[in-house]
Amino acid sequence: MSWLRRNLVVIAGLITLAFLILPNLVVLVFSFNKPKGRFNYAWQEFSLDAWRDPCGVADLCGSLALSLQIAAWATLGATVLGVMVAFALVRYRFRARSTVSALIFLPMAMPEVVMAASLLTLFLNMGVQLGFWTILIAHIMFCLSFVVTAVKARVMSMDPRLEQAAQDLYAGPAQTFLRVTLPIAAPGIAAGALLAFALSFDDFIITNFNAGSTVTFPMYVWGSAQRGTPVQINVIGTAMFAVAILLVLAGRLIGNRRKKQAR
């Protein structure tokens, strides 16, 4: 019992981690399945057919490419705007600063269905045709709050004496920002950008309201679930999970190497 008390937090963490990873393992296993019917919900036979032809289902790779394109542009837009807003909220004093800061966090607290319906109403009243651009605008508005939160936390922890030291060494405003401020804020900016990309690519509710006839990958998966889930969806999901793990491992290796060099 004493050993259990000492390691209770570790055990709970491992159980939680296993619970989170288990669905991904199920997707991995069923990506090698060869179902006899339309639904890939029961194991039938081992096969590599889906891996040999991941785009064998009509419109699957097209919707995937569209989601990646929207996520990339939404990440770029939300990151640029979010960095400027975060620096403005931390470094400058202006009227209604607290109000603006509260409004920035509103999309994070608001249910997605409310924001989706509000954006749809706005687009319809303006006579904007629903499609790629409405999805992109909605995703930028949705991801902006998360980028501001990540970057703002990093900027608030920065030591202003470093920038003052650069100015004492005759560095101009642009040089100080590029050589001192930006490298220090880079981890927060990268975290916000990665979070924005994941949220944009994975979003279904806001996209479904403002997509019109445009079909993204989450919408394709939802539609396929009504008719029969192709194995290629599991292949795409497994590949994306593997890429995410590789990116995390690469980030850890780079971080550890920089720590060793700093020592």
Side-chain angles (χ1 to χ4, degrees), residues 84-102 104 152:
M84 292 190 293
V85 172
F87 272 92
L89 291 175
V90 175
R91 295 294 179 86
Y92 298 95
R93 299 293 183 268
F94 52 90
R95 291 183 178 179
R97 176 172 171 266
S98 58
T99 303
V100 173
S101 182
I104 288 295
K152 184 180 177 182

Side-chain angles (χ1 to χ4, degrees), residues 79-223:
T79 302
V80 172
L81 293 175
V83 169
M84 292 190 293
V85 172
F87 272 92
L89 291 175
V90 175
R91 295 294 179 86
Y92 298 95
R93 299 293 183 268
F94 52 90
R95 291 183 178 179
R97 176 172 171 266
S98 58
T99 303
V100 173
S101 182
L103 290 175
I104 288 295
F105 292 100
L106 190 59
M108 300 175 61
M110 183 187 302
E112 284 192 46
V113 66
V114 176
M115 185 174 184
S118 301
L119 287 169
L120 176 60
T121 304
L122 174 65
F123 292 139
L124 292 178
N125 289 334
M126 296 179 61
V128 180
Q129 183 178 0
L130 300 180
F132 176 87
W133 292 107
T134 55
I135 297 175
L136 179 59
I137 294 172
H139 282 202
I140 292 176
M141 297 297 294
F142 172 65
C143 297
L144 180 62
S145 299
F146 296 91
V147 177
V148 172
T149 302
V151 179
K152 184 180 177 182
R154 182 65 178 179
V155 175
M156 291 178 65
S157 65
M158 292 172 56
D159 189 351
R161 292 176 296 181
L162 297 175
E163 295 171 303
Q164 295 171 2
Q167 295 171 1
D168 291 339
L169 295 173
Y170 303 102
Q175 192 174 14
T176 301
F177 179 78
L178 294 176
R179 296 289 185 87
V180 179
T181 307
L182 188 59
I184 297 176
I189 297 174
L194 291 174
L195 184 59
F197 184 89
L199 290 170
S200 175
F201 181 85
D202 187 57
D203 183 77
F204 173 78
I205 298 177
I206 295 177
T207 305
N208 190 39
F209 271 73
N210 300 279
S213 59
T214 306
V215 179
T216 61
F217 185 69
M219 295 176 64
Y220 183 90
V221 174
W222 180 82

